[in-house]
Amino acid sequence: MSSTITEMTTTHPAQVDIDRELLAECIAACVECAQACTACADACLSEEMVAELRKCISTDASCADLCEATGRVLSRHTGYDANITRAVLQACAQACKSCAEECEQHAEMHEHCRICAEACRRCEDACNRVLAAIG
């Protein structure tokens, strides 16, 4: 998948003022995080203590939605608007931070929460690196 993301990013004819490899890494991190959060929420729903995981499920769902949106926005270069990109990246980084913190509270008991928290931290970092690059 990441090779397709890299190929699509590097072959786009529009001028891109962000390092294309950095951009591709962030898109891949967003896609991976969205999948991890969706799977974690679903796994939480299968746990016997599902009532105690309500906040985790909700946070997973919100993070997945923001990661998917961010990946899509970062994939568009025609008519690029740095203000929109910056706002989406900030929202995604915050959602990933919040989701990681929530999942980490359950990580010792639920392996899926540990895995999700790690994906969220990687995505948060990737979003922050792109934010730093666009200034």
Side-chain angles (χ1 to χ4, degrees), residues 20-115:
R20 290 178 188 244
E21 187 174 319
L22 182 66
L23 195 58
E25 289 171 8
C26 190
I27 294 166
C30 287
V31 171
E32 176 189 49
C33 190
Q35 189 281 329
C37 289
T38 300
C40 186
D42 187 66
C44 286
L45 288 169
S46 292
E47 296 290 351
E48 288 187 27
M49 57 182 284
V50 67
E52 296 169 24
L53 295 168
R54 281 188 185 130
K55 184 175 180 187
C56 190
I57 295 164
S58 178
T59 305
D60 280 336
S62 294
C63 190
D65 288 345
L66 283 164
C67 287
E68 288 174 1
T70 302
R72 288 192 306 270
V73 168
L74 293 178
S75 296
R76 296 183 202 117
H77 307 294
T78 305
Y80 172 77
D81 185 327
N83 292 320
I84 292 171
T85 301
R86 191 176 298 107
V88 170
L89 284 164
Q90 289 168 338
C92 188
Q94 182 58 58
C96 289
K97 182 179 192 294
S98 296
C99 193
E101 289 171 356
E102 179 61 31
C103 282
E104 285 165 352
Q105 293 181 36
H106 311 286
E108 286 186 27
M109 185 177 283
H110 305 293
E111 183 69 5
H112 53 85
C113 286
R114 182 194 63 75
I115 294 166

